[in-house]
Structure formats: structure tokens, C-alpha cells
Amino acid sequence: MTLPISIAEKLQQLLQPEASLPASALKHAVVETMINDGVLQKRISGKSKAVIFISDPAALRSYLNNHFGIANLEQYIVAYKDADITRSEAIAVSGNSKLKTIRTFKGFLVNSYEPISAMIDGKQFIINPPLGTLTFISDYEAFIPDPGVTIVGMENPENFRKVQRQRYLFEGGKVLFISRYPQSNDGIKWLQTITNDYLHFGDLDFSGINIYLNEYKKWLGKRASFFVPSNTAGLLHVHGNRELYNRQLSLAPDSILIEEENVRRLISLLHQHKMVLEQEAFIL
């Protein structure tokens, strides 16, 4: 059984000298059980109001330890609110590895078509996954790429897996690819801690532009730019999708409100052809 954090916080308040709370603030099956077991007391105040208080704090602490594995209520509350709590830490404060939903694997995938130098936990680390494999960065807080490397955010999984077949788009510079999927906030949190330039490579459609503006440009500012490959117009003419353009037309951003010239030109190009282009078209 898990003690809800809202009830734990109320119990912490009740442990203060001469404290009490309205019964209406402690409506929960766990509280009813504690009242029935005698570790919480209810007193009628007036004709219809009731308050809950603790007459024996030591008895409550013993009860929490025996029934919930909570040896220290304050530590339990702090741990429960810790977004990065591990399963072992959860067991330490509650005896329950499933105290709350815990992400066992945090981090993101990276890929490259040539060796990329980086540091992780103060040690040199070369990213060079063999064909058919990817590199997963878990301890991303300690992951620092070479400052001369451009981070390329890949929106679609197939493009991310097949970076070798898109190498022609990035000749002349060192690039490290980071996958948007599986989607989480870890990637953008990491990008905000480093100084590298960020290049967003996704679908050349209105949905892709909005993903870039709202998930990346918003947080990275001038360090971020939207990648429009030089062969976009030609591929748009051959592989453009008119049906998708029509479906997404209501999502089209107003160019006047966008500072980035590259994005404004892309929007104009899409409207000119009345088609959009999915990222997979760039895989040779």
C-alpha cells in the first residue's frame, strides 16, 4: 500500500504541536482506516463540523513504519517529489520500489556517420556506433560534446537510423544527430545546458515547422535554426504531398510573426507549390 503524497503532507502538518485540520481536507480511505485504527482522532466541532488531530505522534510514526514502510515522513515527502528518484531510493524511504511512476531509463539516442568526440563524466568519449546500432546517452547531465560539433535534431526515426544515407546533406562540418523519439523532455533539457549550435531537421511541412518553433526555437533562441536542404525545391516538385498540405493548411504559421528568414522562405515555398515534403524523401 502506498501513502498518497497529499495525505502525507497533511499528516506532517498534524504532527505540529496542537495542530488540527478540517475532516473535509482529509477525505481518503487511508485516513478512514487510520481513524478506525486509532492513530488519528476525529472531534466534532459545532453542530456539523469535524476536525482531525493526532493525540500520540509516536503511535502514528510507528503505524506509518509498520503499514507503509515509512521510517521518516519528512524524507518520504521529499523523495516523492524528487523527479529523479531511483527505485533503490524509493525502497529506502518507503520499502516500495513502485512508490511512484519512475522512469528507469532516462536520456536519448544519438547517432553519427563519423567519430564524434565528447566528454562524459569528465572522461573522453568517442561516439561512433557501428552500422545497425545506435548510442543511448543516459547520464546526459554529464554529457558534453565537442563545442565545434553541430547538434542535428532528427524528427523521424527512419532518418535518424539512416544518417549514412543523408551524409551528402552535411558535408563540410561535424554533426551529431539526436533523435526526437522516444519523445521526452530530456533532449531539450540537455540542449539548454550546452553551447553547441542546434540544427532542426524534420518534415518540411507546417506540423514540422510548429514542432521546431514550439519545442526547440522557443528554448534555444538564436542557437537554433531550421534545416532546409538545398535540394528541397526539386524534391518538393517530385515527391511533394498535396493532400497533406491541404490537411495542414490550418496549421500554417503566419510568416510575419517569424523572425527566422529560413523558415519564412520555406513557408513561402510550400504555399507556392501547394505541397509539403516529408523528411524521408531525403534518404538516398
Side-chain angles (χ1 to χ4, degrees):
M1 186 186 304
T2 300
L3 181 68
I5 186 63
S6 59
I7 300 302
E9 291 176 323
K10 296 283 195 316
L11 293 178
Q12 188 179 41
Q13 294 178 43
L14 289 176
L15 283 169
Q16 302 304 311
E18 300 182 7
S20 66
L21 287 171
S24 59
L26 283 152
K27 288 186 176 181
H28 197 281
V30 168
V31 174
E32 290 301 320
T33 300
M34 288 183 177
I35 292 172
N36 293 334
D37 290 343
V39 293
L40 293 181
Q41 286 71 44
K42 180 186 285 188
R43 179 176 64 232
I44 303 300
S45 175
K47 292 184 178 181
S48 58
K49 293 183 179 180
V51 296
I52 292 176
F53 62 98
I54 299 171
S55 61
D56 187 348
L60 175 67
R61 291 190 178 95
S62 178
Y63 185 92
L64 293 176
N65 195 6
N66 291 332
H67 286 75
F68 299 98
I70 300 173
N72 186 302
L73 184 60
E74 183 177 357
Q75 289 179 7
Y76 174 85
I77 293 170
V78 171
Y80 199 106
K81 292 182 175 181
D82 183 357
D84 297 321
I85 187 174
T86 65
R87 291 193 182 277
S88 60
E89 290 169 338
I91 289 174
V93 297
S94 69
N96 182 8
S97 68
K98 298 177 178 62
L99 167 66
K100 54 183 281 191
T101 301
I102 296 172
R103 291 176 58 211
T104 305
F105 286 104
K106 65 171 187 174
F108 46 79
L109 290 162
V110 296
N111 200 3
S112 65
Y113 49 69
E114 62 183 339
I116 297 295
S117 178
M119 300 288 287
I120 191 158
D121 200 21
K123 299 176 182 178
Q124 188 177 26
F125 173 46
I126 301 298
I127 302 168
N128 190 26
L131 195 62
T133 70
L134 303 168
T135 299
F136 185 78
I137 305 297
S138 177
D139 190 11
Y140 61 84
E141 297 92 342
F143 177 53
I144 304 173
D146 185 314
V149 170
T150 297
I151 310 300
V152 178
M154 296 292 252
E155 186 179 322
N156 297 314
E158 185 175 353
N159 291 79
F160 178 72
R161 288 189 296 107
K162 298 178 179 179
V163 295
Q164 287 280 2
R165 293 169 59 180
Q166 298 156 91
R167 184 170 185 160
Y168 72 100
L169 296 170
F170 303 98
E171 295 293 349
K174 288 275 189 179
V175 293
L176 174 66
F177 300 93
I178 176 174
S179 177
R180 182 171 177 259
Y181 292 100
Q183 197 171 349
S184 73
N185 292 325
D186 295 341
I188 189 61
K189 284 166 64 177
W190 172 69
L191 286 168
Q192 291 178 83
T193 67
I194 61 174
T195 60
N196 302 66
D197 289 334
Y198 174 78
L199 187 64
H200 188 81
F201 186 23
D203 290 326
L204 301 188
D205 60 14
F206 302 126
S207 178
I209 292 171
N210 282 313
I211 287 172
Y212 165 67
L213 293 175
N214 296 321
E215 294 185 20
Y216 297 92
K217 187 71 173 180
K218 175 181 178 180
W219 304 107
L220 302 178
K222 293 182 178 179
R223 283 177 46 219
S225 57
F226 192 91
F227 185 45
V228 183
S230 59
N231 58 342
T232 295
L235 287 176
L236 192 60
H237 180 72
V238 176
H239 299 296
N241 189 321
R242 191 177 302 276
E243 181 185 351
L244 188 56
Y245 170 87
N246 291 328
R247 286 209 311 267
Q248 291 189 2
L249 195 53
S250 62
L251 302 176
D254 187 344
S255 295
I256 297 176
L257 303 176
I258 297 174
E259 295 182 4
E260 193 172 326
E261 178 62 26
N262 217 27
V263 177
R264 291 203 302 267
R265 284 200 304 267
L266 175 60
I267 294 172
S268 176
L269 186 65
L270 299 181
H271 285 316
Q272 177 188 334
H273 287 77
K274 291 184 169 34
M275 290 188 288
V276 296
L277 186 64
E278 294 174 277
Q279 186 184 14
E280 289 85 353
F282 293 96
I283 300 173
L284 294 182

